[in-house]
DNA sequence: GTAGCCTGTTTTTTT
DNA sequence: AACAGGCTAC
C-alpha cells in the first residue's frame, strides 16, 4: 500500500492497480469513480508509464478539467492527454487533415452553422421538403455519421421516406463542407474513425503511441467513438472504460448501450470491477433512485447501497402551477439559508429542458438569490458575438462559406439577398468558395455595376483584415471592430431595451481574447481560439467557485453532485418527454434521466410537479409523470395541494388513461365532497388526499365543474410566497423598528440594529447575545417582544 | 435594398 | 414566449 492506494476501498484499489489489459469499471452513482480514475492515472505514472502514453477521453470539457485538476493533486504537471472525444479527434485531424480531404486550417461548424449549411444543401439538392423538415434531415444525416455510414452507403439503403430525402441531401451537404474546408461536430468523429480504418499505418502508429486509453462515461459512446477507441486498442489493448448503464442518457445522440453491455465480449480477458457502494447520498435518496430504476426492464440488476447516515425524507411536492413552484422553491431556498446551514452553492434546480428555468430564474431574481444558469443563452451564440466570430473564421479559413454569408452584409453595406444569390450561383457553378467568387465578381454578368462595386469594396475590407491573421487576438479584434465600425452599428441597431447589452458583450469577448492571448503567447493562436470556442459548451461554464444556486438540465447535471437538489416539472410529456413515449427504449432513457437527477443529491431532495404549467405562452393543465407512481411514496414526504386528487392511491394501477381529462380542471374538486361527481369511464378511482375515506371523487368531463373555490391548502402543502406572508403574517413588518427587541428560537433575544429593504426583502440585522445575524423579516422565525 | 412589422412554427437533451 | 421567415412601405 502506498500513498496513492491507501484511502481506497478494496474494489477501488483493485481498479486502480490494474494497469495492463482491458478494464471495465461499472460504477454506480456516487461510487467514487472519478477518484478511481484519477488515482489510477497517478498510479500508472508512478509505475513508470510515460505521461504521453496515456489518453483519457471524456464527454465534456468540465469532466476533463475536473480530472485534470484532481490528477494534478496526485501527480502535478504531467502531460497526460485529457479532454473530450471531440477535441481529441479535432487535434488528430489537424495533423492528418489532407488524408480526409481537408486542409489543416479547417473550421468546425457549430450547430447553427451546420443548420444554415444544411439549408443551402437542401436547396442545392433540389429535394422537396414537403414530407420532411430540415431538422429531420439534419438528424438523419447526423445519425448516419454517428453510425459511420457514408453518403454512398446511405444512398443504397432503403429506409423510411424521410431518410430517402436525407440520403439525397447528404452527399451535397458533405461536398459543401469539404469545399468550405469545414466539418460539423459529427464529422470530427466520423472523419477520424474513417481515417483510422483506411490508413493502417496511422492507426498502428497511434495505437503504439497511446498505449493506455481511458474512456469516461463509456455508456454514452456511439459507434464512431467505439470504432475509434477500439482501433487504438488493437496492439495494446490497455483500454480502461468506466460507466454505468443506468446513467445512459444520450441515446438520441447515437449512444449505444451495447458498447458497454458487450464490453466483456469484445475483450474476453477483461477485468471487471464493480463499484456499488454509494458515498454521496443519504439512504433515503438512494432508495428513491433504486426504486425508480428498478422499473427499467433492459438493465443489469445492480444493488445500490450506502453506509451514509440517515437523512431527511425525500419530498414529493405538488404545486398549483409552475409559477407557484418557482416561488415555492425560491422561498424554500431562502428558508433553508436563513435556517443557517446552507448557502446558495449548495442548491441545484434541475429540469428536463432549458425553457423551464425561466420562471425559476424570475423567482430567484425577485428575492435577490444569486444563481447561475448552465446552458442558458450561450454567450458565443449571441448575435453580435457570432458576427465577430464569423469574421475571425473567415480570416482563418477563407473558404468558410457560412461565415461569409454572415459577414458580407454585416454591418449592412448594400449587398442584399439578390446579389448574394447571384454570387452563390456563380460559386456553385464553378465549385469554388464564396469568397473566391466575390473576388471574381467581374465575371458575374448578372450583377449590376453598383453591386460589383460594393462587393469589391467588401473584398478590399477583407484583405485589410486578413493581414492581421497572425497578430494577437486582441489586436485583430480591436482592428476589426474599428474597421467595420461595429460599435456604431450596434448602437444604431439595438432597440432601447436594457436587457441585453451587445456592446458589453463585445467587451467581454475582447477580454476572453486577451485572456487567450496570455495563455497562448507563442504562435498565431487564431485557429486554436476558434477551435476552443467551437468545442466548449456552456455546460463547461458551470463554476462551482461561484456561490450561486445552479439551474440546469439533468443532462448537464450528469457527473455533478449537490447537497440539496430540486427536480422540477416531473410531468407527463415533459419527463418522459412527449417524443420519448412511443417506444420502450426511449421511455427507459427518460427514466434513467430522472435517475441521474435523483442521484445528484447528497442530503436533501425534492421532486415536484404542478397542476398547471405554462408552455409556449399559455397555461396548460399538467399531468403528473408516470415515474412519480414508481417512487416509494410511503417512505417519502408527500405534499399535495389540497383539493387535488391523489394519483398514487392504491387504485392507481400503473396505466393511466389516455385522456386524463380529470386533472385538467383541478379547481373542480372541492373539499365539500361529491357534488357533481359522476363516473368516468376507465378512469382510476381518485381520492382526495385530505380525506381518503371520501367517496371516490370523480366526475364526468362534460358536467361543468363546480365553481372554483379559493383552493385551500393543507398546512404542510402551503408554500407561502413572500406576499402571502406579508399579508397574513402575525406581525406586520412595519412593527419592526430599529431598537425593537425580538426573540428567535435558536438565538434567543436580540435587538434590531439595522433595517434595510422593502416588502419581502425587508431585512433586519439583529444583535443577539452571542452573535449578530441578518434575517429577511418575512421569513425569519422571530417574534417581536413587547416592552 | 433595408427596416420593421406580421405571421406561423416550435428538436428537449449536447459535442 | 421566442424566433425565423415573409411581406410591405419606404
Amino acid at each position: 500500500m502506498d500513498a496513492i492506494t491507501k484511502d481506497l476501498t478494496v474494489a477501488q484499489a483493485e481498479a486502480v492497480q490494474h494497469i495492463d489489459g482491458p478494464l471495465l469499471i461499472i460504477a454506480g452513482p456516487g461510487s467514487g469513480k472519478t477518484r478511481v480514475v484519477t488515482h489510477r492515472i497517478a498510479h500508472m505514472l508512478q509505475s513508470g508509464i510515460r505521461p504521453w502514453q496515456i489518453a483519457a477521453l471524456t464527454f465534456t470539457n468540465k469532466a476533463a478539467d475536473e480530472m485534470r485538476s484532481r490528477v494534478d493533486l496526485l501527480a502535478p504537471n504531467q502531460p497526460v492527454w485529457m479532454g473530450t472525444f471531440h477535441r481529441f479527434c479535432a487535434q488528430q485531424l489537424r495533423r492528418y487533415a489532407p488524408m480526409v480531404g481537408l486542409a489543416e486550417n479547417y473550421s468546425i461548424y457549430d450547430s447553427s452553422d451546420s443548420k444554415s449549411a444544411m439549408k443551402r444543401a437542401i436547396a442545392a439538392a433540389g429535394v422537396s421538403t414537403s414530407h420532411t423538415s430540415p431538422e429531420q434531415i439534419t438528424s438523419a444525416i447526423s445519425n448516419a455519421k454517428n453510425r459511420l455510414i457514408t453518403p454512398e452507403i446511405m444512398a443504397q439503403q432503403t429506409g423510411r421516406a424521410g431518410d430517402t430525402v436525407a440520403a439525397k441531401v447528404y452527399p451535397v451537404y458533405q461536398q459543401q463542407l469539404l469545399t468550405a474546408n469545414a466539418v460539423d461536430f459529427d464529422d470530427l468523429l466520423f472523419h477520424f474513425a474513417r481515417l483510422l480504418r483506411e490508413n493502417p499505418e496511422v492507426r498502428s502508429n497511434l495505437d503504439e503511441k497511446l498505449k493506455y486509453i481511458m474512456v469516461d462515461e463509456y455508456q454514452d459512446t456511439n459507434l464512431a467513438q467505439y470504432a475509434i477507441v477500439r482501433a487504438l486498442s488493437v496492439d495494446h489493448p490497455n483500454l480502461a472504460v468506466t460507466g454505468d448503464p443506468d446513467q445512459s442518457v444520450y441515446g438520441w445522440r447515437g449512444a449505444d448501450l451495447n458498447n458497454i453491455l458487450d464490453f466483456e465480449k469484445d475483450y474476453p480477458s477483461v477485468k471487471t470491477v464493480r463499484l456499488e457502494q454509494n458515498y454521496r447520498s443519504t439512504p433515503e435518496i438512494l432508495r428513491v433512485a433504486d426504486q425508480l430504476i428498478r422499473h427499467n426492464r433492459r438493465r443489469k440488476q445492480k444493488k445500490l447501497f450506502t453506509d451514509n447516515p440517515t437523512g431527511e425524507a425525500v419530498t414529493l411536492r405538488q404545486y398549483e402551477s409552475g409559477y407557484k413552484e418557482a416561488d415555492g422553491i425560491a422561498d424554500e431556498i431562502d428558508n433553508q439559508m436563513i435556517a443557517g446551514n446552507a448557502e446558495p452553492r449548495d442548491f441545484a434546480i434541475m429540469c428536463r429542458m432549458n425553457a423551464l428555468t425561466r420562471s425559476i430564474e424570475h423567482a430567484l431574481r425577485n428575492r435577490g438569490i444569486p444563481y447561475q444558469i448552465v446552458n442558458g443563452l450561450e454567450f458565443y451564440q449571441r448575435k453580435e458575438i457570432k458576427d465577430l466570430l464569423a469574421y475571425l473564421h473567415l480570416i482563418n479559413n477563407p473558404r468558410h462559406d457560412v461565415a461569409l454569408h454572415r459577414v458580407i452584409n454585416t454591418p449592412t453595406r448594400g449587398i442584399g439577398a439578390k446579389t448574394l444569390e447571384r454570387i452563390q450561383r456563380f460559386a456553385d457553378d464553378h465549385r469554388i468558395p464564396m469568397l473566391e467568387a466575390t473576388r471574381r465578381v467581374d465575371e458575374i454578368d448578372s450583377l449590376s455595376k453598383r453591386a460589383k462595386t460594393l462587393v469589391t469594396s467588401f473584398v478590399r475590407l477583407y484583405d485589410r483584415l486578413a493581414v492581421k491573421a497572425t497578430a494577437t487576438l486582441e489586436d485583430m479584434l480591436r482592428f476589426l471592430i474599428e474597421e467595420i465600425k461595429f460599435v456604431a452599428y450596434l448602437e444604431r441597431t439595438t432597440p432601447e431595451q436594457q436587457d441585453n447589452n451587445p456592446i458589453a458583450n463585445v467587451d467581454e469577448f475582447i477580454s476572453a481574447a486577451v485572456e487567450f492571448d496570455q495563455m497562448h503567447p507563442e504562435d498565431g493562436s487564431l485557429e486554436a481560439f476558434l477551435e476552443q470556442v467551437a468545442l466548449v459548451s456552456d455546460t463547461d461554464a458551470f463554476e462551482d467557485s461561484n456561490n450561486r444556486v445552479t439551474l440546469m438540465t439533468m443532462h448537464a447535471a450528469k457527473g455533478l453532485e449537490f447537497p440539496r437538489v430540486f427536480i422540477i416539472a416531473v410531468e407527463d410529456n415533459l419527463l418522459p418527454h412527449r417524443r420519448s413515449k412511443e417506444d420502450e427504449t426511449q421511455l427507459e432513457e427518460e427514466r434513467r434521466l430522472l435517475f441521474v437527477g435523483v442521484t445528484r443529491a447528497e442530503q436533501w431532495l425534492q421532486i415536484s410537479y404542478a397542476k398547471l404549467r405554462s408552455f409556449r405562452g399559455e397555461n396548460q393543465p399538467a399531468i403528473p409523470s408516470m415515474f412519480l407512481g414508481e417512487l416509494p411514496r410511503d417512505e417519502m414526504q408527500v405534499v399535495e395541494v389540497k383539493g387535488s386528487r391523489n394519483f398514487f392511491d392504491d387504485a392507481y394501477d400503473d396505466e393511466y388513461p389516455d385522456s386524463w381529462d380529470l386533472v385538467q380542471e383541478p379547481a373542480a374538486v372541492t373539499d365539500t365532497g361529491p357534488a357533481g361527481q359522476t363516473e368516468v369511464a376507465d378512469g382510476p378511482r381518485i381520492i382526495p388526499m385530505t380525506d381518503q375515506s371520501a367517496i371516490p371523487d370523480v366526475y364526468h368531463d362534460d358536467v361543468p365543474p363546480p365553481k372554483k373555490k379559493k383552493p385551500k391548502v393543507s398546512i404542510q402543502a402551503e408554500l407561502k410566497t413572500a406576499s402571502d406572508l406579508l399579508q397574513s403574517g402575525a406581525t406586520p413588518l412595519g412593527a419592526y423598528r430599529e431598537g425593537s427587541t425580538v426573540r428567535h428560537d435558536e438565538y434567543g433575544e436580540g435587538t434590531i440594529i439595522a433595517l434595510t429593504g422593502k416588502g419581502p426583502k425587508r431585512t433586519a440585522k439583529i444583535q443577539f447575545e452571542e452573535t449578530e445575524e441578518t434575517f429577511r423579516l418575512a421569513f425569519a422565525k422571530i417574534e417581536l417582544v413587547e416592552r
Side-chain angles (χ1 to χ4, degrees):
Chain A
M1 282 294 203
D2 54 38
I4 284 172
T5 50
K6 74 167 189 268
D7 290 331
L8 301 171
T9 64
V10 175
Q12 288 175 344
E14 212 179 332
V16 165
Q17 287 167 339
H18 178 95
I19 295 181
D20 288 302
L23 173 66
L24 170 63
I25 303 172
I26 300 281
S31 60
K33 179 193 64 178
T34 307
R35 198 145 182 265
V36 167
V37 169
T38 53
H39 282 248
R40 181 165 179 269
I41 292 174
H43 180 241
M44 288 164 76
L45 293 170
Q46 203 178 50
S47 312
I49 291 166
R50 310 311 301 158
W52 54 84
Q53 295 178 314
I54 307 173
L57 303 174
T58 64
F59 276 80
T60 64
N61 293 294
K62 184 174 56 52
D65 292 345
E66 169 82 6
M67 196 185 287
R68 158 82 56 205
S69 64
R70 287 176 65 171
V71 168
D72 261 353
L73 294 176
L74 301 165
N77 293 320
Q78 298 288 327
V80 174
W81 200 94
M82 295 179 221
T84 63
F85 260 104
H86 286 82
R87 189 180 295 280
F88 178 73
C89 295
Q91 287 184 6
Q92 298 298 335
L93 274 183
R94 292 270 175 229
R95 293 172 48 197
Y96 301 106
M99 302 180 88
V100 295
L102 294 165
E104 176 270 337
N105 64 334
Y106 71 84
S107 303
I108 301 169
Y109 279 4
D110 69 18
S111 340
S112 68
D113 297 333
S114 319
K115 194 175 156 196
S116 47
M118 186 66 74
K119 279 182 187 162
R120 269 189 292 144
I122 291 169
V127 295
S128 154
T129 53
S130 55
H131 296 292
T132 179
S133 65
E135 286 75 24
Q136 279 181 309
I137 295 173
T138 304
S139 131
I141 293 176
S142 172
N143 283 335
K145 288 182 179 178
N146 287 331
R147 283 179 292 138
L148 298 177
I149 293 171
T150 61
E152 298 79 46
I153 299 173
M154 193 172 184
Q156 290 159 16
Q157 287 180 344
T158 50
R160 287 162 299 176
D163 286 357
T164 317
V165 176
K168 291 199 178 107
V169 177
Y170 189 8
V172 179
Y173 173 69
Q174 216 54 14
Q175 182 55 51
Q176 288 191 356
L177 282 169
L178 285 182
T179 305
N181 188 27
V183 300
D184 63 20
F185 285 136
D186 300 317
D187 279 340
L188 288 170
L189 306 173
F190 178 69
H191 282 315
F192 187 53
R194 286 186 66 192
L195 176 78
L196 292 174
R197 192 170 61 192
E198 290 164 11
N199 299 277
E201 71 292 352
V202 172
R203 189 211 63 74
S204 66
N205 286 345
L206 278 171
D207 192 346
E208 179 66 29
K209 178 171 179 252
L210 297 170
K211 288 200 175 73
Y212 297 89
I213 295 191
M214 308 179 73
V215 181
D216 198 21
E217 309 278 11
Y218 191 69
Q219 76 280 355
D220 288 331
T221 50
N222 59 32
L223 185 65
Q225 288 158 329
Y226 174 80
I228 289 166
V229 166
R230 288 221 65 178
L232 297 177
S233 311
V234 176
D235 309 323
H236 301 277
N238 308 316
L239 176 62
V241 305
T242 63
D244 177 4
D246 288 335
Q247 293 184 64
S248 161
V249 291
Y250 285 101
W252 51 275
R253 213 168 73 183
D256 189 348
L257 213 37
N258 290 318
N259 291 349
I260 191 162
L261 295 178
D262 292 344
F263 192 81
E264 288 161 316
K265 283 187 210 152
D266 291 338
Y267 296 94
S269 64
V270 67
K271 160 114 185 156
T272 302
V273 177
R274 288 171 194 280
L275 306 177
E276 289 174 324
Q277 180 167 0
N278 178 298
Y279 303 97
R280 176 186 296 156
S281 311
T282 62
E284 287 80 4
I285 291 166
L286 212 56
R287 174 105 174 103
V288 170
D290 191 50
Q291 283 294 308
L292 174 71
I293 203 65
R294 272 167 189 274
H295 288 78
N296 270 6
R297 285 221 197 124
R298 193 165 170 272
R299 145 167 212 267
K300 285 185 180 172
Q301 279 304 321
K302 189 170 52 180
K303 44 181 193 274
L304 289 173
F305 66 98
T306 184
D307 288 342
N308 286 348
T310 295
E312 280 182 65
V314 174
T315 304
L316 173 60
R317 191 180 295 266
Q318 181 191 47
Y319 292 100
E320 280 293 335
S321 68
Y323 302 108
K324 287 273 165 83
E325 182 181 54
D327 280 338
I329 287 173
D331 288 342
E332 176 71 25
I333 289 175
D334 235 343
N335 288 336
Q336 293 195 16
M337 292 198 300
I338 288 165
N341 48 3
E343 48 185 342
R345 69 157 58 87
D346 294 339
F347 297 93
I349 303 169
M350 299 175 188
C351 53
R352 180 64 236 267
M353 48 189 189
N354 285 307
L356 290 167
T357 58
R358 203 169 288 279
S359 55
I360 303 276
E361 203 185 337
H362 190 77
L364 292 175
R365 198 177 323 136
N366 274 344
R367 288 163 183 74
I369 300 172
Y371 65 88
Q372 61 181 335
I373 303 182
V374 177
N375 268 29
L377 286 177
E378 297 176 32
F379 179 74
Y380 290 112
Q381 297 295 339
R382 288 167 201 269
K383 187 189 171 305
E384 59 276 11
I385 304 304
K386 285 227 78 172
D387 288 341
L388 291 175
L389 272 172
Y391 275 98
L392 298 186
H393 267 120
L394 196 62
I395 293 168
N396 180 241
N397 171 17
R399 287 156 60 185
H400 198 307
D401 281 0
V402 172
L404 185 125
H405 266 269
R406 185 169 193 113
V407 141
I408 194 166
N409 202 32
T410 310
T412 50
R413 45 178 79 91
I415 303 174
K418 266 279 175 300
T419 305
L420 208 49
E421 196 181 295
R422 286 167 185 154
I423 299 172
Q424 176 80 63
R425 165 92 33 94
F426 183 84
D428 286 349
D429 288 349
H430 292 75
R431 292 186 164 257
I432 54 173
M434 289 285 281
L435 185 66
E436 179 70 22
T438 62
R439 289 187 190 284
R440 293 164 61 178
V441 75
D442 284 340
E443 300 172 41
I444 309 176
D445 298 330
S446 52
L447 287 181
S448 67
K449 179 130 203 221
R450 179 184 133 85
K452 286 182 184 177
T453 314
L454 291 168
V455 170
T456 305
S457 84
F458 168 76
V459 174
R460 292 218 194 88
L461 165 71
Y462 175 78
D463 288 337
R464 282 201 300 282
L465 297 173
V467 172
K468 295 277 180 183
T470 51
T472 62
L473 283 170
E474 182 187 4
D475 289 348
M476 191 186 314
L477 212 43
R478 289 194 191 281
F479 181 76
L480 164 67
I481 290 167
E482 179 57 33
E483 196 73 6
I484 65 176
K485 302 277 180 284
F486 199 53
V487 174
Y489 164 71
L490 291 177
E491 274 167 356
R492 73 171 181 272
T493 54
T494 310
E496 294 290 317
Q497 309 161 357
Q498 299 268 267
D499 225 25
N500 61 333
N501 181 353
I503 294 167
N505 289 333
V506 168
D507 285 338
E508 196 178 331
F509 187 47
I510 295 174
S511 309
V514 171
E515 196 177 319
F516 196 89
D517 279 332
Q518 285 164 356
M519 283 166 61
H520 303 256
E522 62 289 348
D523 45 356
S525 48
L526 176 57
E527 185 178 297
F529 179 70
L530 293 174
E531 179 175 307
Q532 157 116 341
V533 169
L535 296 179
V536 296
S537 72
D538 279 6
T539 309
D540 311 318
F542 164 74
E543 297 256 355
D544 36 17
S545 53
N546 293 339
N547 194 359
R548 294 166 182 275
V549 174
T550 301
L551 276 58
M552 60 188 357
T553 64
M554 283 177 265
H555 281 95
K558 196 143 79 82
L560 303 177
E561 56 188 10
F562 297 88
R564 295 152 197 256
V565 171
F566 295 87
I567 299 176
I568 65 167
V570 186
E571 292 150 23
D572 194 42
N573 289 332
L574 248 29
L575 181 65
H577 191 267
R578 180 184 300 118
R579 304 172 64 103
S580 304
K581 296 201 301 185
E582 281 139 32
D583 76 282
E584 187 73 11
T585 316
Q586 291 185 54
L587 188 73
E588 294 205 342
E589 179 156 315
E590 297 284 304
R591 192 179 279 114
R592 289 194 294 268
L593 190 57
L594 182 56
F595 174 79
V596 166
V598 167
T599 53
R600 299 310 93 196
E602 295 169 355
Q603 305 156 14
W604 189 92
L605 171 67
Q606 171 180 298
I607 297 169
S608 63
Y609 59 103
K611 294 206 276 186
L612 223 51
R613 171 108 16 218
S614 80
F615 187 59
R616 286 183 189 155
E618 57 189 343
N619 270 338
Q620 290 176 344
I623 303 167
S625 166
M626 60 180 287
F627 298 149
L628 297 181
E630 301 170 356
L631 306 179
R633 291 185 76 240
D634 35 356
E635 298 169 34
M636 301 166 71
Q637 189 197 6
V638 179
V639 186
E640 291 175 45
V641 176
K642 186 176 169 186
S644 128
R645 293 161 188 61
N646 185 340
F647 278 91
F648 309 104
D649 190 79
D650 300 346
Y652 184 83
D653 65 345
D654 252 1
E655 281 177 346
Y656 51 95
D658 285 347
S659 62
W660 188 261
D661 303 334
L662 297 176
V663 219
Q664 305 198 353
E665 204 50 66
V669 185
T670 69
D671 41 353
T672 52
Q677 292 167 0
T678 42
E679 193 68 35
V680 168
D682 297 326
R685 193 169 58 96
I686 309 279
I687 300 177
M689 77 161 274
T690 44
D691 185 1
Q692 305 260 334
S693 64
I695 298 163
D697 176 19
V698 265
Y699 55 91
H700 204 279
D701 41 346
D702 52 25
V703 172
K707 182 105 175 97
K708 176 172 174 153
K709 275 190 163 186
K710 183 169 183 276
K712 289 189 178 169
V713 183
S714 68
I715 291 168
Q716 54 173 176
E718 174 71 277
L719 267 157
K720 292 192 190 305
T721 63
S723 57
D724 287 341
L725 280 159
L726 286 176
Q727 283 156 20
S728 66
T731 312
L733 296 193
Y736 295 101
R737 302 277 162 74
E738 275 184 34
S740 303
T741 305
V742 294
R743 165 173 294 284
H744 184 276
D745 280 352
E746 196 178 329
Y747 299 107
E749 252 177 38
T751 307
I752 296 181
I753 52 179
L755 280 167
T756 50
K758 280 199 273 198
K761 292 195 172 177
R762 188 75 169 160
T763 304
K765 190 183 274 188
I766 303 171
Q767 180 67 56
F768 293 103
E769 283 154 18
E770 308 265 301
T771 64
E772 183 183 299
E773 294 291 336
T774 304
F775 291 121
R776 293 278 192 79
L777 286 175
F779 305 117
K781 297 188 176 69
I782 56 176
E783 52 183 298
L784 204 53
V785 180
E786 304 291 347
R787 280 284 149 90

